[in-house]
Amino acid sequence: MIVVMRKGSSQKEIEAVAQHIRDAGLRASVSKGEERAVIGILGSPYPELKDALEALPGVDQVLVVSRPFKLASREFHPDDTVVKVGGVTIGGGDVVVMAGPCSVENREQLLSTARAVKAAGATILRGGAFKPRTSPYKFRGLGEEGLKLLAEAREETGLPVVTEVMSERDVELVARYADILQLGARNMQNFVLLDELGKASKPILLKRGLSATIEEWLLAADYILQHGKSQVILCERGIRTYETYTRNTFDLSAIPLVHKLSHLPVIADPSHGTGKWYLVQSMALAAAAAGADGLMIEVHPSPDHALSDGSQSLTFENFKLLMEKVGPVAAAVGRKMARAPVAAPARRRAR
Ligand code: PEP
Ligand code: MN
């Protein structure tokens, strides 16, 4: 159930409704929109509660939400959520591009990629320091060393950094270096990690699980939002189907559908969505046309030598070509590309 307050209802009226909900043994989650406040009821409300709440001062209407996800739903929060990070706004109408290598491999690889993606117009730098690998024998990331390199690349380019956190053990460590914490597809239903990320100080990028339905994905978002956090970005990265010519089946329809169902920004990752570098550009353009709030694109100085996901990584040149094409597509659907934040002037070294 969701209580929609009247326009201009007072703080006292909102608090009285929240207290009524708590007295019924349920939890109340208040969200204040531009026009009015909405109170989500968490738990299993009994049917008579609807009439009781509708009789309280300041209440406009009580909606029964039949969908299992609540906090991520549009009913609960009719306005779009806007995530702000390091001078970049995600979900505010502009298309944000997060680009960088699948894994941080070494200083030169990361810094050269950060410079190249920035020059081509990317707004956020991506790169994995903790890598989920199907095979335990493959490169599993540089760990904290990789986080330090990401922080150095941010310092130089001014690009905020998004990177994956794989375990609740590392949330605090990763949050010390990163601007956005990525929850990978393999962990979308790691409920302990979702709870920890709900308490973290940084925005969360929540990737869709390998075989997750949209409902399961939005329920995972509710796990994070339950802790009072509002800064969550969803990322469609393809789902596993019986098709084998692509790594995953990129679900383009998820983008407008999630916009209809949820207030959270949704970005598209056509790199993991397809697994093939030569499909990335067309799916990136399609995602921008479908209204994605951003793109996540893997880029590597030499994809053939990448330690992970080389086959879906773009060269600097191909990333530049993609960026040249995506702007006009965004403009065709009434949107523009987000601009990169300006890098802080290099600190003067003491002699
Ligand atoms: C990644 O972003 O490199 C990654 C591992 O993504 P996913 O969780 O979508 O597979
Ligand atoms: Mn990858």
Side-chain angles (χ1 to χ4, degrees):
M1 262 181 218
I2 287 172
V3 183
V4 183
M5 300 300 291
R6 289 210 182 96
K7 278 184 200 167
S9 56
S10 69
Q11 182 55 37
K12 209 169 147 211
E13 287 169 336
I14 296 169
E15 184 42 44
V17 173
Q19 191 55 46
H20 194 105
I21 294 166
R22 288 194 286 270
D23 290 346
L26 302 159
R27 282 168 59 202
S29 176
V30 180
S31 161
K32 288 189 184 146
E34 267 178 31
E35 293 218 318
R36 53 175 90 208
V38 173
I39 305 171
I41 304 176
L42 307 175
S44 304
Y46 47 92
E48 297 77 15
L49 187 62
K50 181 177 186 316
D51 288 345
L53 291 171
E54 270 177 346
L56 293 180
V59 174
D60 184 6
Q61 55 174 328
V62 177
L63 304 172
V64 178
V65 181
S66 49
R67 294 198 176 99
F69 53 88
K70 315 277 180 215
L71 300 177
S73 72
R74 270 264 175 224
E75 288 89 344
F76 173 63
H77 193 290
D79 304 329
D80 287 346
T81 283
V82 174
V83 175
K84 290 193 172 161
V85 52
V88 180
T89 300
I90 305 151
D94 294 354
V95 180
V96 171
V97 178
M98 309 181 180
C102 176
S103 301
V104 178
E105 298 172 6
N106 57 61
R107 191 164 180 275
E108 178 51 30
Q109 173 247 15
L110 182 68
L111 291 182
S112 62
T113 309
R115 289 175 196 133
V117 299
K118 180 173 181 178
T123 19
I124 293 181
L125 176 65
R126 66 144 287 144
F130 293 93
K131 294 304 302 176
R133 302 308 301 269
T134 302
S135 162
Y137 310 115
K138 294 201 168 156
F139 178 63
R140 290 162 74 179
L142 296 179
E144 187 169 3
E145 186 51 35
L147 298 175
K148 287 183 180 161
L149 292 173
L150 285 164
E152 184 182 341
R154 171 182 52 215
E155 178 89 4
E156 184 190 311
T157 59
L159 299 179
V161 160
V162 55
T163 194
E164 179 163 355
V165 53
M166 279 174 55
S167 154
E168 64 268 24
R169 195 182 58 205
D170 298 326
V171 172
E172 215 208 309
L173 172 75
V174 179
R176 242 185 281 142
Y177 293 95
D179 300 288
I180 303 174
L181 307 180
Q182 177 172 323
L183 183 84
R186 288 154 194 81
N187 268 321
M188 191 206 81
Q189 285 191 316
N190 179 339
F191 302 115
V192 176
L193 183 53
L194 286 165
D195 268 330
E196 272 321 297
L197 289 174
K199 296 181 229 156
S201 55
K202 300 285 168 74
I204 309 299
L205 182 101
L206 175 62
K207 286 203 158 193
R208 182 175 179 182
L210 296 183
S211 310
T213 63
I214 287 173
E215 193 164 285
E216 288 162 345
W217 188 19
L218 294 175
L219 279 165
D222 265 24
Y223 263 88
I224 302 172
L225 297 168
Q226 265 204 48
H227 294 273
K229 185 187 274 295
S230 63
Q231 303 280 284
V232 175
I233 306 154
L234 299 166
C235 177
E236 162 60 39
R237 47 78 72 205
I239 43 172
R240 183 169 289 191
T241 66
Y242 48 78
E243 180 53 69
T244 55
Y245 274 60
T246 46
R247 179 180 180 184
N248 290 297
T249 297
F250 180 55
D251 185 3
L252 192 57
S253 66
I255 293 158
L257 182 52
V258 165
H259 274 150
K260 184 171 152 58
L261 296 172
S262 177
H263 53 91
L264 297 173
V266 56
I267 70 157
D269 172 353
S271 303
H272 293 88
T274 64
K276 312 277 187 212
W277 69 267
Y278 50 84
L279 298 178
V280 170
Q281 185 193 96
S282 41
M283 288 304 98
L285 301 182
D293 296 294
L295 300 169
M296 175 173 266
I297 310 284
E298 286 187 339
V299 180
H300 195 281
S302 175
D304 290 347
H305 299 100
L307 297 183
S308 61
D309 287 351
S311 58
Q312 66 194 34
S313 297
L314 300 187
T315 58
F316 296 170
E317 186 54 32
N318 281 333
F319 179 67
K320 189 165 171 275
L321 287 172
L322 182 157
M323 292 300 285
E324 282 165 12
K325 293 200 172 171
V326 76
V329 171
V333 292
R335 307 170 72 229
K336 57 186 177 32
M337 303 304 291
R339 297 267 215 91
V342 181
R347 285 204 200 108
R348 234 189 249 170
R349 286 176 200 279
R351 286 181 201 221

